Amino acid sequence: MAEKKGFIRKTKQREVILNVLRSTRTHPTADWVYQEVRKEMPNVSLGTIYRNLKTLTEMGEALELSYGSTYSRFDGHADNHYHFVCEECGDVTDLELPVQDSLENSVGDSIGAEITHHRLEFYGICNHCRAKK
Amino acid sequence: MAEKKGFIRKTKQREVILNVLRSTRTHPTADWVYQEVRKEMPNVSLGTIYRNLKTLTEMGEALELSYGSTYSRFDGHADNHYHFVCEECGDVTDLELPVQDSLENSVGDSIGAEITHHRLEFYGICNHCRAKK
DNA sequence: ATAAATGCAAAGCATTTGCAACCAT
DNA sequence: ATGGTTGCAAATGCTTTGCATTTAT
């Protein structure tokens, strides 16, 4: 069940987690973040990582990306942008493609819903994996 | 590890599963499919559902949709189309928006990758959930 | 003071798998 | 015959949670 909190406190842990998230352009898993944060705070627990990743996502400071049924990846750069996902190695790359916010209006109008954001992802084989074959 | 199969056999189970998937425009979970298939084949196992859902996805007969870190949803209509996801109730709706395949070429060219497909999803609050508030 | 946040460890739970029996080709 | 497929159940493994303790405000 979702806890209801009246306010959110600043904590060293969340700060470090956000810094770690922002320090990379890869799209790390919770465990990768955990390993990184541990270098600076050897006692953090995985639970804290998950709780803060969730909080940061709700705060709009991070994005949770889900592909397939394994684990989630997180993105500390929350300004909308599109991704390319390699179906071979699972790598996620940011794309330069301009974001088309106008799409949100037309979709919102057509189904009468309030659109908060959209995601566009491309799937395929990255050139690194193609070279291996 | 992925099993390597020389060929794929036709089975009654897979046929029923695909029919169930195609019978709806909702985007069911593996468990929903399981319950439906059971009505016709009381002895199917959940494992078979999962294995076939995976096989069908690999065959290009179905799509696996992942939102958040809970469970996957499946779509038996594999021709590309876009979705609207309600962040309140989790409902997934098909959109009429025309599919822009041309995007794939420009992305493919810019990052030198081979694009197989793309996905575009809009998130927000559906009007059903908005009315409730 | 007071409630949010943490660490630890124990669940939770969707999905995967090993295996013997079974069945499509 | 051959090896893909199934049902069953046990095992995986990512993520969530309960609880006593710490800590931000």
Side-chain angles (χ1 to χ4, degrees):
Chain A
M1 188 116 289
E3 304 167 41
K4 177 160 289 177
K5 298 176 188 168
F7 55 95
I8 292 187
R9 279 178 190 158
K10 246 177 285 184
T11 66
K12 182 65 180 164
Q13 284 83 341
R14 185 177 308 123
E15 184 189 330
V16 175
I17 290 171
L18 185 53
N19 284 341
V20 164
L21 271 186
R22 293 204 169 138
S23 72
T24 179
R25 269 298 180 178
T26 64
H27 303 74
T29 61
D31 197 69
W32 186 90
V33 173
Y34 176 47
Q35 303 305 339
E36 286 301 305
V37 175
R38 270 178 118 180
K39 292 178 183 172
E40 195 165 328
M41 307 181 85
N43 294 316
V44 251
S45 69
L46 233 196
T48 294
I49 302 295
Y50 275 103
R51 276 185 287 237
N52 279 300
L53 248 17
K54 185 176 188 177
T55 301
L56 288 168
T57 297
E58 290 169 352
M59 289 168 60
E61 298 288 343
L63 303 176
E64 179 178 357
L65 310 175
S66 308
Y67 307 111
S69 43
T70 42
Y71 39 74
S72 283
R73 289 167 168 283
F74 294 86
D75 189 330
H77 303 269
D79 46 306
N80 198 11
H81 58 277
Y82 303 145
H83 294 122
F84 166 73
V85 183
C86 177
E87 297 181 296
E88 188 84 11
C89 63
D91 207 57
V92 180
T93 316
D94 289 341
L95 295 176
E96 300 291 316
L97 213 59
V99 173
Q100 292 192 256
D101 287 319
S102 59
L103 287 172
E104 297 185 7
N105 298 322
S106 55
V107 170
D109 291 347
S110 75
I111 62 173
E114 189 179 309
I115 308 290
T116 57
H117 63 286
H118 70 279
R119 295 247 180 106
L120 174 56
E121 350 257 12
F122 293 82
Y123 297 80
I125 311 291
C126 70
N127 48 28
H128 186 260
C129 284
R130 261 200 301 174
K132 280 196 205 157
K133 295 191 174 176
Chain B
M1 191 111 290
E3 301 167 44
K4 177 158 292 178
K5 298 176 188 169
F7 56 95
I8 292 187
R9 275 179 193 157
K10 247 177 283 187
T11 67
K12 181 68 178 162
Q13 285 85 339
R14 185 177 307 125
E15 183 189 331
V16 175
I17 291 171
L18 186 53
N19 284 342
V20 165
L21 271 187
R22 293 206 169 137
S23 72
T24 180
R25 268 297 181 178
T26 65
H27 303 73
T29 60
D31 197 68
W32 186 90
V33 173
Y34 177 45
Q35 303 305 338
E36 287 301 306
V37 174
R38 270 178 117 179
K39 293 178 182 171
E40 195 164 328
M41 306 181 87
N43 294 316
V44 249
S45 69
L46 236 197
T48 294
I49 301 295
Y50 276 104
R51 277 186 285 236
N52 278 301
L53 248 16
K54 185 175 186 177
T55 301
L56 288 168
T57 297
E58 291 169 349
M59 288 167 63
E61 298 289 342
L63 302 177
E64 179 180 357
L65 309 175
S66 307
Y67 308 112
S69 42
T70 40
Y71 37 73
S72 284
R73 288 166 169 285
F74 294 85
D75 189 330
H77 303 269
D79 46 306
N80 200 11
H81 59 278
Y82 303 145
H83 295 121
F84 166 73
V85 182
C86 177
E87 298 180 296
E88 189 82 10
C89 65
D91 207 57
V92 180
T93 316
D94 288 341
L95 295 175
E96 299 292 316
L97 211 60
V99 173
Q100 293 192 255
D101 287 318
S102 59
L103 288 172
E104 297 185 6
N105 298 322
S106 54
V107 170
D109 290 347
S110 75
I111 62 172
E114 190 177 310
I115 309 291
T116 57
H117 62 287
H118 69 281
R119 295 249 180 103
L120 174 55
E121 351 256 13
F122 293 82
Y123 297 82
I125 311 291
C126 69
N127 49 27
H128 185 260
C129 285
R130 261 199 302 174
K132 280 197 207 158
K133 296 195 169 173

